[in-house]
Amino acid sequence: MKLYNTLGRKVEEFRPLGEVVKLYTCGPTVYSEAHIGNLTAYIYWDLLVRALRADGYKVRRVLNLTDVGHLVSDGDEGEDKLEKGAAREGKSVYEVAERYIKKFQYDYRSLNLTEPEVWARATDYIEDDMRAVDLMTERGFTYETRDGVYFDTSKFDRYAEFARLDLAGLQAGARVGFSDEKRNVSDFAVWKFIQPGEKHAMRWDYLGRPGYPGWHLECSTIIEKELSAPIDIHTGGVDHVPVHHTNEIAQYYAMTGRDLARYWLHCGFITVDDEKISKSLGNTYSLDDLVERGFSPIDYKMWVLSGHYQGTRNFTFESLAGAKARRLNWRNRIAECYQREVVSDDGLWERVLAAVNDNLNSPEAFAVIDGTVIGLEDWKKIDALFGLQLIENSPDIDDGARELIAARQAAREAKDYAESDRLRDLLSERGIAVKDTAEGPVWQYL
Ligand code: AMP
Ligand code: ZN
């Protein structure tokens, strides 16, 4: 398999370190419902996991759920997202986290995404976070301010490398008065102190004061506990490169002296009707919104996979309808396999797998599927590779439906068109259409 590695900014042959591929995916902050943009990453990384398994690798995957500490900005200012959600809904932060973890996992399963081996909740790793801060402090990477414990990015000489940051430019562009206790503009909190009178329900005593972990810390800590680095693959959104992943790498090095990951994969953003997804534009569609408009979550998955993970994609309901039509077309090609012997074109499966192994080129794989004759056994393999529930949603018809088709044919031959129309309507009610061909009637899903 070849993958585009953000580390070297090029496509590289993937070679895992050990028997089991260690994979970590930055997960959601569980303070509100995921919109379709948030969900794209998990669809692409699901393909990655399925492709690795199709290639014969074992995979151990960890996905975190941020239920504390993620402030509204990427930096160290603003409200905690969970506190914001709690205030909005008049609930406790714990209730908010519980609600949106459930919702996220519901969406995740509706998309038929492979379960990670570990769902890691940030609040289950607080003790580990404290030990991580101790370690970084012992090794001289942190300093304390009134506001918290900060990571001194000047102590990690490769800090700018991963994201190719222009630190001098950042420093020059820093706002006046911006956290005057910070030594460098890129320094970030690994632990935040809760100030007297500050409202923050999730709090833990550490260094003699109540506080909570900085957002970036959980990923480094969870990886150390659940996988131990260097891991093989770390995935996230392209927005994670300059701050979140840069900080994860710095922290992990400060804790352990080791690198965090060998391959870094980042997916692009989607727009909706050529606009950025945002609350103010009213285009933060959830999966439920698509279902309400008559689409299946799997139609959305088809839409996502019909583009490359590194691209910037524009979502429209028109293009989603195109994905839905393609899925119906594929299901009807499976229906055809139940009605006559269909033999795959030579090399079909190898071509599909080769496209996916070529830096997850799912649009190319879809084009191969569109343009090639495919038999039932290969449809099963394709279905497992993309997780599209094609076979599950395309059962062979039962004897009752078969009898209706035969009766309709008999009525047609007897020129009893009223009866044949009645039987056609009965079949429609079962979601089945009948097409009359030179070889006789052929049924399809509606
Ligand atoms: P947010 O809750 O808006 O901070 O989003 C959480 C994560 O979802 C971000 O860090 C991105 O990686 C991802 N994300 C947000 N918006 C989009 C989008 N329009 N397209 C793809 N991914 C997105
Ligand atoms: Zn992360």
Side-chain angles (χ1 to χ4, degrees):
M1 179 183 281
K2 287 196 170 72
L3 297 170
Y4 182 89
N5 190 349
T6 302
L7 268 182
R9 302 289 193 281
K10 63 177 189 303
V11 176
E12 295 172 7
E13 187 66 38
F14 173 65
R15 291 203 182 77
L17 266 186
E19 282 272 292
V20 177
V21 175
K22 297 182 192 180
L23 202 162
Y24 184 85
T25 298
C26 289
T29 303
V30 286
Y31 73 115
S32 66
E33 188 175 25
H35 60 63
I36 54 173
N38 302 134
L39 294 170
T40 53
Y42 309 103
I43 295 173
Y44 288 125
W45 310 140
D46 179 61
L47 174 60
L48 172 65
V49 171
R50 288 171 186 271
L52 286 165
R53 293 196 169 128
D55 286 341
Y57 294 113
K58 291 196 181 73
V59 180
R60 177 173 166 80
R61 183 181 183 207
V62 178
L63 201 162
N64 71 309
L65 300 160
T66 302
D67 56 358
V68 64
H70 190 173
L71 303 187
V72 171
S73 80
D74 242 3
D76 302 302
E77 299 166 281
E79 260 177 298
D80 181 301
K81 285 189 173 181
L82 262 295
E83 296 286 342
K84 194 177 159 189
R88 180 187 65 227
E89 298 186 16
K91 294 210 170 85
S92 81
V93 277
Y94 292 96
E95 285 168 330
V96 167
E98 207 53 51
R99 171 171 179 195
Y100 292 111
I101 286 174
K102 285 223 173 71
K103 182 62 172 84
F104 178 75
Q105 291 179 329
Y106 176 82
D107 287 346
Y108 193 92
R109 287 163 191 152
S110 308
L111 289 163
N112 191 32
L113 305 177
T114 342
E115 290 283 311
E117 278 56 46
V118 181
W119 289 101
R121 274 179 85 140
T123 47
D124 289 336
Y125 297 83
I126 303 293
E127 297 281 326
D128 305 281
D129 290 337
M130 293 174 184
R131 244 174 286 135
V133 177
D134 287 344
L135 269 175
M136 290 190 266
T137 302
E138 277 165 31
R139 291 160 161 266
F141 283 93
T142 69
Y143 59 92
E144 227 177 276
T145 72
R146 272 167 303 180
D147 182 51
V149 181
Y150 275 77
F151 190 100
D152 185 342
T153 53
S154 69
K155 295 276 165 68
F156 180 46
D157 55 10
R158 287 191 282 131
Y159 185 78
E161 213 172 81
F162 182 67
R164 313 205 166 161
L165 297 174
D166 167 18
L167 290 179
L170 275 181
Q171 193 76 36
R175 272 173 289 149
V176 182
F178 172 68
S179 191
D180 55 7
E181 286 185 280
K182 265 167 73 160
R183 293 183 189 164
N184 312 288
V185 67
S186 50
D187 292 357
F188 58 95
V190 289
W191 191 268
K192 292 273 283 185
F193 297 134
I194 296 170
Q195 305 302 327
E198 186 189 340
K199 210 180 140 288
H200 201 283
M202 287 197 188
R203 49 176 69 210
W204 292 268
D205 270 327
Y206 176 53
L207 302 173
R209 268 164 288 185
Y212 58 97
W215 169 45
H216 315 293
L217 186 56
E218 63 185 73
C219 294
S220 308
T221 307
I222 291 167
I223 287 174
E224 174 62 2
K225 182 133 189 204
E226 302 293 352
L227 293 167
S228 182
I231 61 169
D232 294 294
I233 308 176
H234 194 309
T235 66
V238 71
D239 59 315
H240 290 146
V241 176
V243 182
H244 182 56
H245 286 169
T246 288
N247 293 349
E248 280 187 30
I249 291 168
Q251 288 166 156
Y252 199 81
Y253 181 80
M255 285 157 61
T256 66
R258 276 178 273 136
D259 282 338
L260 190 54
R262 301 173 59 242
Y263 298 83
W264 288 83
L265 269 61
H266 293 98
C267 61
F269 266 49
I270 70 162
T271 52
V272 169
D273 298 328
D274 291 314
E275 307 253 33
K276 191 174 170 276
I277 299 181
S278 86
K279 284 245 157 59
S280 57
L281 291 170
N283 62 5
T284 54
Y285 297 118
S286 68
L287 214 47
D288 291 344
D289 292 330
L290 307 191
V291 170
E292 253 167 49
R293 292 178 188 227
F295 296 97
S296 143
I298 304 294
D299 291 329
Y300 183 62
K301 190 178 193 178
M302 287 280 290
W303 180 83
V304 170
L305 294 176
S306 67
H308 193 259
Y309 76 95
Q310 289 182 285
T312 302
R313 316 263 329 276
N314 183 42
F315 175 88
T316 60
F317 278 101
E318 219 179 347
S319 61
L320 182 62
K324 180 179 172 158
R326 191 183 219 168
R327 189 167 72 91
L328 181 62
N329 173 268
W330 289 5
R331 289 177 56 223
N332 277 324
R333 289 171 62 191
I334 291 171
E336 199 184 334
C337 294
Y338 298 133
Q339 300 174 71
R340 66 176 186 90
E341 175 88 21
V342 181
V343 179
S344 296
D345 284 349
D346 275 351
L348 167 270
W349 171 245
E350 289 71 18
R351 286 172 65 206
V352 170
L353 197 57
V356 168
N357 278 331
D358 181 13
N359 192 28
L360 304 180
N361 196 341
S362 50
E364 170 65 22
F366 277 22
V368 170
I369 295 167
D370 279 339
T372 316
V373 177
I374 303 175
L376 192 57
E377 288 313 306
D378 282 326
W379 277 116
K380 287 180 186 166
K381 287 195 209 167
I382 287 167
D383 202 17
L385 180 57
F386 297 103
L388 298 171
Q389 297 175 321
L390 291 170
I391 301 288
E392 188 179 329
N393 287 312
S394 314
D396 197 356
I397 52 170
D398 59 17
D399 288 344
R402 242 177 237 116
E403 277 160 25
L404 287 172
I405 292 169
R408 175 182 167 278
Q409 184 63 7
R412 270 172 55 86
E413 278 160 16
K415 300 208 161 32
D416 185 352
Y417 296 114
E419 176 66 359
S420 80
D421 284 354
R422 189 185 70 86
L423 292 164
R424 185 198 55 206
D425 292 346
L426 285 179
L427 282 159
S428 303
E429 282 168 22
R430 294 176 174 228
I432 294 164
V434 184
K435 282 208 313 199
D436 298 301
T437 72
E439 285 81 42
V442 169
W443 64 264
Q444 294 196 323
Y445 305 108
L446 278 171

